[in-house]
Amino acid sequence: MKKEIAFIFDLDGVIVDTAKYHFLAWRNLAKELGFEFTQEHNELLKGVSRVKSLEILLGIGNVEISEEEKQKYLIQKNEEYLGFVNKMTAEEILPGVSNLLDYLDSKNIIYALGSASKNAPLILEKVGLYNRFAALVDGNDVSKAKPDPEVFLIGAKKLQMKPENCVVVEDAIAGVEAAKLANMTCVGIGSKEVLGKADFVFDDMTGFTTEFLNKLIN
Ligand code: BG6
Ligand code: MG
């Protein structure tokens, strides 16, 4: 028998690769504060809110600053990041994503966005995907960051779907944890070692073959 299911997609690292832009902006801030910020450090910020990312960065550099300075740096970092985001086009949609969305549309399967990013609506607009989602939940809508399941539970509610009938697609450990805490099926995008708690793990979004999708739906 056919199950009614819906998808909830993370944005950064799933739909588009914005980690490289976050990295450039955080690295410049670290440089200004007098320490080095590496690609390895950047991994720690995946799926993490902007405020928490700054806390982690300051911890790496062992730097203590005032609340006022933190606010200033958060704005400065975001302005630099937006400089990159504003140049984004549909070419930056990750391989496999457009085919997957076309497939879901063809089967009348609805999907939402469930992202920690406050810039999510702008990014979707830039890459031409804003109007395709039945619902959007982003960093402006949540009070508790991933791994709290709030973002995905709001997504399910907006889609009017039961959590157990939702499939979350995530590239961050915190996101996979959030999906499982929400009692949803989770597809991890990345390495099996890192995303071991997900129900299925693919190296990238091209892992969503028609065969896999048919198995999931039927
Ligand atoms: C997540 C990213 O999607 O959004 C994190 O994985 C980022 O790296 C977070 O810190 C918040 O993004 P923004 O756009 O609100 O600064
Ligand atoms: Mg992500």
Side-chain angles (χ1 to χ4, degrees):
M1 206 180 80
K2 201 169 171 238
K3 288 186 289 193
E4 206 193 336
I5 68 164
F7 277 65
I8 305 179
F9 293 96
D10 173 46
L11 176 67
D12 297 314
V14 168
I15 305 278
V16 285
D17 174 22
T18 42
K20 57 185 184 231
Y21 302 138
H22 281 295
F23 172 64
L24 294 172
W26 286 127
R27 188 181 62 177
N28 277 347
L29 178 58
K31 201 170 165 197
E32 191 178 322
L33 292 168
F35 62 94
E36 202 194 338
F37 182 77
T38 65
Q39 290 274 14
E40 286 69 47
H41 291 143
N42 198 49
E43 288 299 307
L44 303 171
L45 309 188
K46 276 192 181 171
V48 173
S49 73
R50 195 183 308 166
V51 172
K52 185 89 191 9
S53 295
L54 177 64
E55 298 292 346
I56 295 173
L57 180 122
L58 293 172
I60 291 165
N62 213 1
V63 174
E64 277 185 38
I65 57 173
S66 68
E67 212 32 61
E68 210 180 349
E69 280 175 304
K70 280 183 195 170
Q71 291 310 319
K72 184 189 91 178
Y73 286 132
L74 283 171
I75 293 169
Q76 183 180 316
K77 182 267 168 182
N78 196 51
E79 276 172 3
E80 187 170 354
Y81 176 64
L82 287 179
F84 298 113
V85 167
N86 278 315
K87 290 191 207 116
M88 287 178 83
T89 66
E91 280 180 23
E92 297 202 38
I93 297 173
L94 286 169
V97 172
S98 296
N99 281 346
L100 173 57
L101 299 186
D102 288 347
Y103 175 90
L104 297 178
D105 289 345
S106 76
K107 300 280 178 193
N108 290 321
I109 296 170
I110 51 173
Y111 44 88
L113 190 86
S115 167
S117 170
K118 294 188 172 180
N119 295 307
L122 175 68
I123 295 169
L124 287 181
E125 231 171 76
K126 286 285 164 194
V127 301
L129 291 178
Y130 186 86
N131 291 321
R132 291 195 68 171
F133 289 80
L136 298 181
V137 189
D138 62 47
N140 302 291
D141 304 312
V142 294
S143 55
K144 288 167 261 166
K146 299 171 188 175
D148 190 283
E150 185 185 22
V151 60
F152 296 135
L153 291 173
I154 297 176
K157 209 169 183 182
K158 284 197 177 187
L159 292 176
Q160 296 184 309
M161 292 291 293
K162 286 188 188 149
E164 59 266 35
N165 291 344
C166 293
V167 180
V168 168
V169 187
E170 253 296 344
D171 72 314
I173 304 172
V176 171
E177 282 177 12
K180 294 317 297 172
L181 285 170
N183 197 21
M184 298 177 178
T185 301
C186 185
V187 180
I189 302 298
S191 97
K192 276 203 174 72
E193 285 77 59
V194 180
L195 305 176
K197 285 189 187 165
D199 300 285
F200 308 94
V201 181
F202 299 132
D203 292 339
D204 57 48
M205 291 294 281
T206 61
F208 282 95
T209 58
T210 310
E211 196 190 352
F212 173 75
L213 286 162
N214 285 337
K215 214 169 70 188
L216 202 64
I217 295 162
N218 296 309

